[in-house]
Amino acid sequence: MKVFVAGGAGYIGSVCTEYLLDKGYDVTVFDGLITGHRQAVDPRAKFIYGNLEDRDFLFKCLCEGRYDAVMHFAAFSLVGESMKDPGKYFKNNLGNAINLADAAVKGGVKRFVFSSTAATFGIPEEMPIRETTAQKPINPYGESKLCFEKALRWYSDIHGLKYAALRYFNAAGASENYGEDHNPESHLIPILLQVAAGKRAKAMLFGDDYDTPDGTCIRDYIHVLDLAQAHEKALYAPESGHYNLGTGAGLSVKQILEAARKVTGHPIPADVVPRRPGDPPRLIACSDKARRELGWKPQYEDAETIIASVWKWMQKHPDGYEF
Ligand code: UFG
């Protein structure tokens, strides 16, 4: 099967590319290296340097390549930035995604796998969060992803482009070769490990006055290799649909801090600071649908295993991809 991976030089896209190549797929990565890294592209993949804004070039690539499937990872994903510059998010995460969907249809592609997010739910009305839970995003990032989820439904109905929208909860972890290298880094686990590695003096815990057992926010951390597994399984989904991807276990910021201390053997000093605006107190996935319909089964369910994989990757890449 030939797969076109938009955003294959980014964190989740690079790990999925490696996973697909290991399974024998023919993979082409398309990336404009805006937030991605050339070194993160598995050398076994074909690489096309390009921007999703460039509709003509995209159409040319998709028409010439005769791909069976498109995976779409190329998006902006900083919630805070989206609150300052919504246009940037709608332009890329919706407008450019439409370019890709149009090109996929033009190129005769039959399957489309889209990286969606728990942020489409906003502050959820039920926990755990099911596919049927009301989606009411509280930031332009989540809204832009939801808009494209909705658009895909019409591409499926009208053009027969079968899609899977995979709503990641908190993607974490690394494979042997590929990991998370954001600049600036905003995610909890890499920040804690940067403290352990001596790159930051201390961590900040954003609020300990939430209505949760230890007062800090609860998230569902899902290993990036488990997300990769879900992408592969989604290529064979019987129908178009949406899937929530998490382990179903909620861990608090303080629990993650303790796990990071255990894995690294470092005290990781951390100060409690005020809440970060826009953080929902609790996000936990119900992934029964993905397990049932895709046959997906997460393999890395405990925090220490996930954190240890990041720690190992950071030892090998102390300066990220700038080695
Ligand atoms: N946190 C801290 N200190 C930090 C960084 C984070 O206490 O230095 C806390 C946050 O407040 C939050 C938790 O750690 O409670 C996890 O924060 P992350 O930034 O790692 O992840 P988010 O839950 O904010 O974001 C993730 C994805 C987003 C997605 C969102 C859905 O990275 O793309 O889930 O809500 F939009």
Side-chain angles (χ1 to χ4, degrees), residues 10-323:
Y11 168 40
I12 303 169
S14 63
V15 174
C16 282
T17 295
E18 178 190 40
Y19 185 93
L20 292 172
L21 288 162
D22 286 347
K23 295 237 161 193
Y25 290 81
D26 178 331
V27 182
T28 297
V29 167
F30 181 98
D31 204 295
L33 304 178
I34 297 167
T35 52
H37 307 269
R38 182 65 182 89
Q39 304 93 312
V41 180
D42 191 306
R44 294 170 294 171
K46 288 183 205 72
F47 178 71
I48 302 174
Y49 175 74
N51 194 306
L52 295 180
E53 242 171 28
D54 190 345
R55 247 178 105 83
D56 293 344
F57 183 53
L58 203 49
F59 273 59
K60 184 173 176 289
C61 294
L62 268 299
C63 288
E64 285 176 2
R66 309 184 74 79
Y67 299 99
D68 300 291
V70 165
M71 292 190 179
H72 178 31
F73 298 93
F76 296 133
S77 62
L78 297 173
V79 171
E81 183 186 56
S82 81
M83 294 293 280
K84 293 192 185 107
D85 191 355
K88 177 173 176 178
Y89 279 71
F90 286 104
K91 198 160 168 267
N92 189 34
N93 296 1
L94 179 60
N96 290 344
I98 294 287
N99 288 344
L100 183 58
D102 283 341
V105 169
K106 188 88 176 161
V109 174
K110 296 278 173 266
R111 296 264 174 185
F112 197 102
V113 184
F114 169 53
S115 304
S116 190
T117 168
T120 58
F121 291 101
I123 305 203
E125 284 165 6
E126 58 176 352
M127 203 59 63
I129 304 170
R130 297 172 191 281
E131 284 75 11
T132 49
T133 302
Q135 287 172 291
K136 296 181 187 164
I138 53 166
N139 51 61
Y141 166 64
E143 190 80 67
S144 67
K145 290 278 187 174
L146 179 58
C147 288
F148 189 62
E149 276 195 5
K150 289 186 174 173
L152 277 176
R153 184 217 141 176
W154 297 104
Y155 279 80
S156 176
D157 285 2
I158 296 166
H159 296 302
L161 179 65
K162 219 173 244 184
Y163 75 91
L166 305 182
R167 298 170 184 148
Y168 313 155
F169 278 60
N170 281 61
S175 74
E176 285 287 326
N177 300 306
Y178 303 105
E180 192 166 6
D181 180 9
H182 296 122
N183 190 13
E185 187 51 75
S186 65
H187 295 104
L188 178 65
I189 293 174
I191 284 178
L192 296 176
L193 298 187
Q194 284 173 0
V195 177
K199 293 188 173 290
R200 288 175 192 253
K202 55 168 75 166
M204 290 185 290
L205 309 187
F206 297 141
D208 66 352
D209 55 351
Y210 286 94
D211 184 18
T212 59
D214 67 18
T216 61
C217 287
I218 291 177
R219 294 287 181 272
D220 185 336
Y221 295 86
I222 178 77
H223 199 293
V224 66
L225 281 168
D226 284 328
L227 294 179
Q229 185 208 134
H231 281 76
E232 199 233 345
K233 301 245 185 236
L235 293 173
Y236 306 95
E239 304 293 339
S240 288
H242 311 93
Y243 298 94
N244 293 352
L245 300 180
T247 63
L251 290 169
S252 73
V253 171
K254 281 188 180 163
Q255 284 174 313
I256 292 290
L257 172 63
E258 281 316 315
R261 284 174 172 157
K262 214 161 154 193
V263 166
T264 60
H266 189 282
I268 311 183
D271 288 344
V272 176
V273 299
R275 292 181 181 197
R276 185 171 68 176
D279 273 340
R282 199 186 290 258
L283 292 172
I284 301 170
C286 169
S287 297
D288 292 353
K289 187 178 177 219
R291 291 171 193 258
R292 198 176 55 241
E293 289 185 12
L294 303 181
W296 177 66
K297 197 174 175 303
Q299 308 285 313
Y300 307 91
E301 303 214 24
D302 79 290
E304 281 172 36
T305 310
I306 294 177
I307 293 170
S309 73
V310 185
W311 188 231
K312 193 169 166 199
W313 190 79
M314 282 176 67
Q315 312 292 303
K316 279 208 253 173
H317 304 268
D319 298 312
Y321 286 107
E322 303 306 317
F323 45 77

